[in-house]
């Protein structure tokens, strides 16, 4: 009775090796729900890939990742003096992201010589020093309280035309701040294509580019990954029959199918799709069909189509409406679930 992520092991591992080969300086990103696969599993896979460094999102994630991966651990969320570090992790393995002068000063005052990367603000405008702030930070860092391991650039998800123009402009600022990092200057980047990184590396042959990649690495070969849910029950229904927590009536004759997977799995709680603009949203509204009778599309795919929720998903199961004429899957069989991996918690992962 569960939602299971099936992984074609050979195919997935081939893909991981291929990305590692195409992306010199790869820093696998291991954060959140572990891209649907789990933090611990990804940490072990990074160890198997033989990378030097992995990136976690937050310091709390270190407790799951650090015991399973032996190399350096970059923390992507900028260091904050109010955050506690897990005591179990060797501080010498940590590389902190720093984005503010006050925090840099506070970190410099802590024990030892913490390793840091200085983040430069990009058009994302999430975290980072301005160009001037970066020069000031380089000067503060030079006094020796921290060891600078490079500069970080977090670029937006590939806009039309790519990120190369912005990355080149930011590199000018990095150079102006006195390229930091030893023994070789390092720039940590995200969301650049392999070709864009290659172009930067040609312009800046002295710099070692470190590529922080999550989605393309772990989820880049979707065909190797499949989420399936068990069919738990089914009931034929006539038009107008009532069902469910809210005593709704069924709009048409068909079958109510009860499947594994509900809000506890993140089903029906999809992150916004990012569908840009009013036109795309209007199109969704106007789709008609079952939406017109108040039903919402579910991620459960049955007989070749995404089916509608008969009512909002329950905690661990969902009631799906199958119109008359659709082949009803047997109890105990499984159906395909098209989920967004980063928002889904599966009951188990099965790697062949
Ligand atoms: C999450 C994150 C990444 C990885 O993003 P993907 O799109 O999953 O490759 C890279 N850099 C930073 C700073 C991040 O927060």
């Amino acid at each position: 009775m569960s939602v299971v992520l099936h992984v074609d092991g050979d195919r997935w591992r081939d893909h991981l090796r291929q990305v590692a080969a195409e992306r010199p300086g790869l820093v696998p990103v291991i954060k959140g729900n572990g891209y649907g696969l789990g933090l611990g599993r990804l940490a072990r896979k990074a160890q198997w890939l033989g990378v030097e460094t992995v990136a976690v999102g937050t310091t709390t994630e270190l407790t799951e990742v650090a015991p399973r991966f032996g190399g350096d651990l970059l923390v992507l969320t900028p260091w904050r003096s109010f955050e506690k570090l897990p005591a179990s992790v060797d501080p010498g393995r940590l590389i902190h992201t720093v984005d503010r002068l006050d925090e840099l000063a506070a970190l410099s005052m802590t024990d030892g010589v913490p390793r840091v990367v200085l983040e430069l603000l990009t058009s994302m405008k999430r975290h980072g020093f301005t160009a001037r702030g970066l020069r000031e930070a380089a000067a503060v860092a030079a006094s020796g309280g921290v060891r600078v391991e490079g500069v970080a650039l977090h670029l937006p998800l590939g806009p039309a035309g790519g990120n190369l123009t912005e990355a080149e402009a930011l590199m000018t600022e990095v150079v102006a701040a006195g390229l930091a990092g030893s023994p070789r200057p390092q720039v940590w980047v995200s969301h650049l294509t392999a070709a864009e990184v290659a172009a930067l590396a040609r312009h800046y042959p002295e710099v070692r580019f470190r590529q922080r990649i999550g989605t393309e690495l772990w989820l880049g070969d979707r065909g190797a990954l499949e989420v399936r849910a068990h069919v738990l029950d089914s009931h034929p229904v006539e038009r107008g029959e009532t069902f469910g927590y809210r005593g709704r009536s069924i709009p048409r004759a068909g079958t109510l199918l009860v499947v594994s997977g509900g809000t506890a799995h993140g089903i029906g709680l999809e992150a916004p799709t990012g569908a840009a603009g009013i036109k795309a949203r209007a199109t969704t509204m106007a789709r008609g069909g079952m939406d017109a009778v108040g039903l919402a599309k579910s991620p459960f795919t049955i007989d070749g189509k995404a089916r509608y929720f008969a009512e909002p998903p329950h905690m661990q199961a969902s009631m799906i409406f199958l119109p008359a004429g659709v082949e009803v899957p047997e109890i105990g069989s499984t159906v395909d679930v098209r989920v967004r991996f980063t928002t889904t918690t599966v009951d188990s992962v099965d790697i062949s």
Side-chain angles (χ1 to χ4, degrees), residues 33-333:
N33 68 346
Y35 290 84
L37 291 134
L39 296 172
R41 179 170 291 103
L42 299 189
R44 285 194 300 273
K45 274 290 166 285
Q47 180 73 32
W48 168 82
L49 270 177
V51 297
E52 192 180 315
T53 308
V54 299
V56 297
T58 63
T59 53
T60 50
E61 291 165 346
L62 289 167
T63 47
E64 271 197 69
V65 174
R68 298 176 175 91
F69 172 77
D72 287 341
L73 302 152
L74 170 70
V75 184
L76 295 171
T77 302
W79 189 81
R80 290 290 180 265
S81 44
F82 55 76
E83 290 269 11
K84 274 250 182 312
L85 287 177
S88 58
V89 182
D90 170 10
R93 293 173 60 197
L94 298 181
I95 304 174
H96 296 290
T97 301
V98 181
D99 66 331
R100 295 175 54 88
L101 285 174
D102 53 356
E103 298 289 2
L104 181 61
L107 184 56
S108 303
M109 301 298 283
T110 63
D111 288 347
V113 183
R115 303 160 71 190
V116 300
V117 297
L118 303 175
E119 181 149 354
L120 181 58
L121 196 66
T122 69
S123 60
M124 279 270 297
K125 302 239 164 62
R126 188 163 76 178
H127 300 295
F129 291 107
T130 60
R132 180 171 159 208
L134 185 69
R135 291 195 291 277
E136 288 168 2
V140 171
S143 63
V146 293
R147 189 168 108 209
V148 176
E149 304 258 358
V151 173
L153 310 176
H154 187 39
L155 293 156
L157 284 167
N163 277 320
L164 187 57
T165 311
E166 181 175 1
E168 292 275 11
L170 292 167
M171 282 304 294
T172 313
E173 309 294 354
V174 174
V175 173
L179 278 170
S182 64
R184 196 174 155 195
Q186 297 196 101
V187 175
W188 307 69
V189 294
S190 336
H191 300 145
L192 289 171
T193 64
E196 286 170 337
V197 176
L200 286 175
R202 277 195 301 277
H203 291 181
Y204 297 94
E206 70 283 17
V207 174
R208 181 176 182 212
F209 288 94
R210 309 292 301 273
Q211 312 191 49
R212 300 173 299 190
I213 299 176
T215 307
E216 177 192 325
L217 177 66
W218 307 119
L219 305 176
D221 184 2
R222 287 299 169 110
L225 309 167
E226 191 181 26
V227 177
R228 299 194 71 82
H230 274 120
V231 174
L232 302 175
D233 216 335
S234 68
H235 310 285
V237 279
E238 292 304 327
R239 182 177 167 188
E241 250 184 90
T242 57
F243 73 98
Y245 276 132
R246 290 161 185 83
R248 283 198 196 204
S249 61
I250 260 314
R252 296 181 199 165
T255 301
L256 274 177
L257 198 71
V258 186
V259 292
S260 291
T263 53
H265 300 89
I267 283 170
L269 307 172
E270 294 281 274
T273 57
I278 287 171
K279 192 169 168 219
R281 265 178 262 142
T283 311
T284 310
M285 300 273 292
R287 208 168 37 205
M290 298 301 285
D291 323 42
V293 292
L295 300 191
K297 266 272 170 66
S298 86
F300 298 96
T301 303
I302 297 156
D303 204 8
K305 269 199 180 147
R307 299 297 169 180
Y308 286 84
F309 284 116
E311 73 165 354
H314 305 169
M315 195 156 170
Q316 293 177 308
S318 294
M319 297 181 86
I320 303 299
F321 174 67
L322 297 182
V326 174
E327 193 173 334
V328 179
E330 279 179 33
I331 295 169
S333 67

